[in-house]
Amino acid sequence: MAELSVLFEELEAAAGKKIGVATLNAEKSLNSLNLQMIDLLQERFSAWEEDDAITCVFLQGAGDKAFCAGGDVVALHGGSAAYGEAVPNDYCVNFFAREYALDYHMHTFKKPIILWGHGIVMGGGLGLMDAASHRVATETNRMAMPEVTIGLYPDVGGTWFLNHAPGNTGLFLGLTGANINAADAKFVGLADRLVANEYRANVLADLQAADWAADAEAVVNKVLRAYEAKSQDKMPEPNVRPNYDLINQLCDGDSAAEICQQILDYQTEDKWLSRAIGTLRNGCPITPHLVVAQMREGAHKGLADVFRMELVMSRHCAAKGHFKEGVRALLIDKDRQPNWQHKNIADVTAAEVAEFFVPFDDDPLSHL
């Protein structure tokens, strides 16, 4: 019998309490989220939230390489439409709706959720990470919202957390799909604690031994604070903070086309910036327009409305062909030669972008 794609355990803790441990268990696919995993997490989190014995939740990924490399976009590819096609995409609607509902549930969870975000954390994995109350980044991190490479946009709450990043850093990360490390994650607000990966077992043991008669948030903070202090010399040097002023300057423009041209025209020998610029140059021409538009449209929305807006956008992405072509080129045929509908970012019209925000007759997230 095959193992479940998420493993659950309840660790005994002091004062008759328990710690709920959930482990994404798809190591070969870098713990990429599929519908089964989403549904298993939603069901168990709902039970743990109402169980008085459960004092906190610890969410992690199996293996050393990744917490979660994103959603199962290969499966989504099968339920999406190619250019010029009009096919039902019920799978995509169900996937996105249930994924976003899980993210929202975690954001509003009544108990601490400690997320151990080691290794690769991208796309849907970053959505889970941002939704946790105590987000741990490690020295092994490689984080990104790389949707520009597959004709999507930074979803899973990206509208929310990129808008809350300092200055224009969120916009830059969304446009370029730039990789960031643990130090960067803390600077842009995607991590709360920087703890060396070697201390994971120690953190769990200390949580089990802690005095849970005290406030649960304070207990978790005390444990993580101690191990963060021990980890300071193990963390990488940041890339975002040293380039903060430059990023703000490059992203100061009146349109997606203008901002992207400023980024693409910038000459640098900085390897991190060069990779980010190269990803934008080779990415889907419509994605930067969606990023600029989503951040503008979502800037003053509440969290539930952000997820509802993103579901509308994602359903359109599944129907219009850009996403299908991007995934085909990167992950199906692996030729890395996407034949995008537009050749240049400047070729995309405002009317085309506006179509991604046209609501559907139904709203699967109306209950949020």
Side-chain angles (χ1 to χ4, degrees), residues 15 27 196 204 211 253 297 309 355 359:
E27 190 175 349
L204 274 169
D211 178 11
E297 294 293 325
M309 182 190 78
E355 289 178 3

Side-chain angles (χ1 to χ4, degrees), residues 47 96 105 116-117 141 174 185-186 214 218 223 232-233 255 271 312 331 333 347 350 355:
F96 289 126
H105 185 197
W116 196 268
N141 273 135
K186 190 166 186 180
V223 171
Q232 290 183 5
D233 62 345
S255 68
K271 291 182 179 178
V312 169
L331 297 171
D333 298 338
D347 294 340
E355 289 178 3

Side-chain angles (χ1 to χ4, degrees), residues 95-154:
F95 182 94
F96 289 126
R98 281 141 75 174
E99 182 183 25
Y100 301 170
L102 172 63
D103 291 335
Y104 181 79
H105 185 197
M106 290 176 60
H107 272 282
T108 58
F109 205 73
K110 294 183 291 188
K111 300 173 182 179
I113 298 179
I114 305 147
L115 190 146
W116 196 268
H118 73 291
I120 297 170
V121 186
M122 295 187 180
L126 206 50
L128 293 177
M129 184 161 181
D130 184 63
S133 61
H134 294 74
R135 304 161 301 172
V136 177
T138 79
E139 79 282 6
T140 66
N141 273 135
R142 185 158 66 92
M143 298 185 187
M145 291 298 286
E147 288 77 11
V148 67
T149 62
I150 56 170
L152 196 59
Y153 69 97

Side-chain angles (χ1 to χ4, degrees), residues 252-321:
D252 183 10
D254 297 324
S255 68
E258 180 183 347
I259 293 168
C260 289
Q261 197 58 55
Q262 289 172 174
I263 295 172
L264 293 172
D265 287 345
Y266 185 71
Q267 302 294 315
T268 180
E269 295 183 0
D270 182 291
K271 291 182 179 178
W272 178 76
L273 281 172
S274 294
R275 283 194 294 268
I277 294 168
T279 302
L280 173 61
R281 178 173 287 111
N282 295 320
C284 179
I286 204 162
T287 295
H289 293 270
L290 298 182
V291 175
V292 170
Q294 76 176 115
M295 294 190 70
R296 180 185 65 242
E297 294 293 325
H300 302 292
K301 290 184 184 294
L303 184 62
D305 284 335
V306 161
F307 280 116
R308 293 188 189 103
M309 182 190 78
E310 289 186 355
L311 181 57
V312 169
M313 294 178 68
S314 296
R315 292 174 72 171
H316 282 297
C317 284
K320 294 184 184 299

Side-chain angles (χ1 to χ4, degrees), residues 168 244-253 262:
N168 288 326
Y244 179 73
D245 291 337
L246 173 63
I247 288 170
N248 283 336
Q249 178 185 339
L250 292 177
C251 292
D252 183 10
Q262 289 172 174

